[in-house]
Amino acid sequence: MTENAQQQPSAPHTELPTQYAPADVEGPLYERWVERGYFEADAKSEKPPYTIVIPPPNVTGSLHLGHAFEHTLIDALTRRKRMQGFETLWQPGMDHAGIATQNVVERELGKEGKSRHDLGREAFVERVWQWKGESGGQISGQMRRLGDGVAWSRERFTMDEGLSQAVQTIFKRLYDDELIYRAERIINWCPRCLTAISDIEVEYQDDDGELVSMKYGEGDDTIVVATTRAETMLGDTAVAVHPDDERYKHLVGKEIRLPLTDRSIPVVADTHVDPEFGTGAVKVTPAHDPNDFEIGQRHNLPSLTIMDEHAVITAHGPFQGLDRLEARSAIVAALRAEGRIVAEKRPYAHSVGHCSRCKTTIEPRLSMQWWVKVGPLAKAAGDAVRDGRVKIHPQEMEKRYFDWVDNLHDWCISRQLWWGHRIPVWYGPNGEVVCVGPDDEAPTGEGWRQDTDVLDTWFSSGLWPFSTLGWPEQTESLAKFYPNSVLVTGYDILFFWVARMMMFGLYAMDGTPPFHTIALHGMVRDQFGKKMSKSFGNAVNPLDWMDKYGSDALRFTLARGANPGVDVPIGEDWVQGSRNFANKIWNATRFALMNGATVDGPLPDAAQMSATDRWILSRLNSVVAEVDALYEDYQFAKLSDALFHFAWDEVFDWYVELSKTTFMAGGEPAKVSGRVLGEVLDVTLKLLHPVVPFVTETLWTTLTGGESVVIAEWPKDSGFRDTAAEKEIESLQSVITEVRRFRADQGLQPGQRVPARLTLDGTALAPHETAIRQLLRLQPEGDAFSATATLPVAGATVALDLSGTIDVVAERKRLAKDLAAAEKEKAQANAKLGNEAFLAKAPDNVVEKIRTRLAKADEDIARIQTQLERLPQA
C-alpha cells in the first residue's frame, strides 16, 4: 500500500466520460508530460541513477512491431524506476544507417536521372543531410504516439559532432594500440551497393540454382569437383583433397590442367576437406570464397580476382565482360562441349546470401579493407560476463554469447560508401600512412589524400552507451549515468551490437563494462508463430492498431507476451482484448468514483474494516510484492498477467461486486469501504502505469487529484496480510462460483430469481448472506418452499427450490442424451487405444488427439452425472 496517501490532495472526483476514447487522451497527455520535463534526467541530482539507452533506430526507419515491443519493455522499466525515486535516463537517438540511407537518397536521385557520381562526394553528402533534415527521423514522432518516456533534450545522432569526435578518438586509440589494421581478406560484397557489408546485413534463403560436377585434368590424373558457382573456376588455383583419402594420394603434389584456361593447378592435401562429401575433392578459389581463402593461406596459393566490383568477369578470355550469371551458363556450355561435365543437377536448392538492403546476391570477394583485431577485445567481453560484472538474462543465453565472443573473427569495419564516418587515415605521396585524431591536424600538401572508405555503422553504434553521454570528454553525465543499468535488446543482435558495445565499452572506459545487465527478448511473430513479413502478407503496422484500439492496448498485449528470450506471438484479437481491459479499468474506476471511493486521509484501522476490505488489502500487498519481484527478473509477461487477473478478477469482479451492498446501505461501513476501494485503485493504477500509461494517468489524476502518476511514488508492500480474511473470502467465492455453475448447468438465466434456504450458521460466511443472495439472485424461501436441489459448499449449505423454474422431466431427458453421447465417445476412444495394431501404425499426434478425446469424455460424464444427481426427482 502507498505510504503517501495522507499527503495526496483530496480527490476532486471529476466525473469521467461514460467511455474511454484513447485518441482524445493520448496525444495531449504525452505533450503535457514532455512540457513538464518528467522524462528529463539531471546529472547533478543526488538520486541514484538508472540508465537505459535506446537501441538507435535507423534514420530511414518507421515504427514497426519490433520497435513497439522493445520500447514498451524499456518504457515500463524506466517509468517504474522513476516512480521509485531514481534519476532515470532513457537515452534516445538514431543511427545514420550508412547503406540504407545512401540507398534512399540514391533512389531519389535516380528519379531525377542522376547518380551520386554526377553530384560528387561533397555535394552528395550534403544532399543526404538535407534529406535527413526534411524526411529522416519520422520514427521520433511515432515513438511519442507509443508513449516513450525518453529524455528528448538529450537526443543524439550517430553522425552529430560529438559522436563523430568519439568515433575518431577511439579509431585513433585502437590504431595506435595496433588493434586496427589494413589487410586484403575475403568479405561479403554487394555488387549493387558496391560495398562490403557485415554478416548481419546478409540474409540467407534457399534459392534454386544448379550443381555442376566437372572433370579437371587428363587421363589418370583426372579429378571431379562440384560447384554451384561454375564461373569461379576461372579463378581456381588448386584442387584440395583430404590427406588420408587413399583415392587421391597419387595426385597430391601433382599439377593438373584447369579446363578452359592455359593454366595448370596443384592438388593439395588439406584437413578442411570432408572425404565423405561428394567426390571428396574441392576446387579452391582463394579470391572468391572464405574457406578457399584459408586453404590458400595455408598452402601459399595465389589469389586470382576474376570479377570486378560489379560482378563482371575480368579474367582474360572469351568470358571477359560477361555478368557472373551470364558467365555461369556460358562456362557450363563450354565445359559440356569439351566433355568435361560429369553431372548436372537443376534445380538445386541451396542457401544463398543476399544483401538485406537491395536483395542482390552477395559475392565473396578478396578486398583490401580495414579490420579490428578483436582477439583481446573479445576476451575482455567474455571475461566480464564470466566474472559476474555483467549478467545476461535469461541466463541460458550465456552459452550463445560465449560461443560467439570466444570464436570471434577479426571485424571488417570499412565500407565503400560516401555516407558515414570517413576513415581518419591519410596516405602520402611516398607511401606514408597517418592516422589523425580529433585534435590532430590532417596532413596537407601535394599528393596527400584521405582514405575514401567510411566506417561500418556498427562501429559508431558500438560506442552508444558512452558516446551519447559526452565521451571522450569527462562530462557530468558520463560520471552520473555510466555504466548503463541494463540493456534491453533482441537476442538476434546479441552477437553484433551487444558484443561490439561490450568490446568498446571495456576498452574505452578502463575495464568498466557498458551495462550491468543484458536483458534479451525474442522476436514478434504473428498469432501462429510465423515470422512477420510483407511477402507473407502478415506484416502489421502498429500505428494501425494504435489508431483502432489505443496505444495502451498495443503495449499491454506486447508486454503480456514478453517472456525472456522467447519469441512473442501477437494477433489483432489479442489487442482488442487488451482494449477491453482498458475499458474495464475505466468503467470500474468510474463506478468507484460515483460510489464514494476516496484517497482522503489514512486508511481505517483493520478493526473497522469488513473481511472483504481486509481481504482485498491483503491481496493488494501480495500483488505489490509479486510485481516487484517479477520486474527485477524481467518477467514482463508474468507481471502483466498478475496485474490483469488481480485488477479484473479480484478488484473489479469480486471486491466491487461484494461491496455493492455496503455502498447501497451507506453509513460508516460504506465510508470505510470507499476509502479501501480508493486505496486499492490508487495502488493498482500505479502498478499498471508503466505498461499502460495513458489510461492510468487519466484515472489516477481524477481519483487522487495528484499532479501526475508519472512522478507519483511507486507502491510499497506494507506487510499487511490477513490470511483469515483471505480464507473467508475464498470460501465465499467458492459458494458463489459453485451455485452460479449449477444455475448455468440447469439452464437458468443469469437474472432469474430462485427461492433458496442458506444454512450459514457456524461458518465464516454468516455475515455475507445479503451479498450471497444478491449476487446469486436468491430470494427468500417463503412458506411453500421445497428444497429440490441441495449444494454443500465450503461448510455451508445452499438449498434451492427449482420446481417453478425448470422442466425437470425435459432436463433429465436432455442430460441423459448428452450422457449417452459422452459414454459412446469414451467407448470409441478406449477401443482405439486398446488396439495394439492401431497404436503401432498411427502417428503420435493422432494417438495424442484420441487420448485428449478420452479425457474430455471422462470430464463430460462426471459433469453430467453430477448435474443429474442434483436435479430433483420428477
Tab-separated table of all heavy atoms in Angstrom, residues 43 278 300 512 611 806:
chain	number	residue	atom	x	y	z
A	43	ALA	N	22.041	15.358	-14.348
A	43	ALA	CA	23.319	14.756	-13.937
A	43	ALA	C	23.762	15.246	-12.567
A	43	ALA	O	24.603	14.614	-11.924
A	43	ALA	CB	24.388	15.073	-14.978
A	278	GLY	N	30.402	-35.591	-51.364
A	278	GLY	CA	30.607	-35.545	-52.808
A	278	GLY	C	31.713	-36.480	-53.247
A	278	GLY	O	31.780	-37.642	-52.836
A	300	ASN	N	50.048	-21.341	-49.446
A	300	ASN	CA	50.720	-20.294	-50.228
A	300	ASN	C	50.244	-20.263	-51.678
A	300	ASN	O	51.045	-20.152	-52.631
A	300	ASN	CB	52.245	-20.472	-50.182
A	300	ASN	CG	52.787	-20.312	-48.776
A	300	ASN	OD1	52.426	-19.371	-48.067
A	300	ASN	ND2	53.627	-21.249	-48.360
A	512	THR	N	35.536	-0.855	-17.365
A	512	THR	CA	34.169	-0.803	-16.839
A	512	THR	C	33.206	-1.160	-17.955
A	512	THR	O	33.148	-0.467	-18.972
A	512	THR	CB	33.825	0.599	-16.306
A	512	THR	OG1	34.759	0.953	-15.295
A	512	THR	CG2	32.408	0.628	-15.749
A	611	ALA	N	-14.407	-8.102	6.460
A	611	ALA	CA	-13.491	-9.137	5.968
A	611	ALA	C	-13.171	-8.910	4.497
A	611	ALA	O	-12.050	-9.152	4.049
A	611	ALA	CB	-14.118	-10.514	6.177
A	806	ILE	N	-37.697	-24.831	-13.779
A	806	ILE	CA	-37.269	-25.690	-14.887
A	806	ILE	C	-38.211	-26.876	-15.045
A	806	ILE	O	-38.879	-27.293	-14.097
A	806	ILE	CB	-35.825	-26.218	-14.677
A	806	ILE	CG1	-35.733	-27.084	-13.404
A	806	ILE	CG2	-34.829	-25.091	-14.635
A	806	ILE	CD1	-34.404	-27.784	-13.262
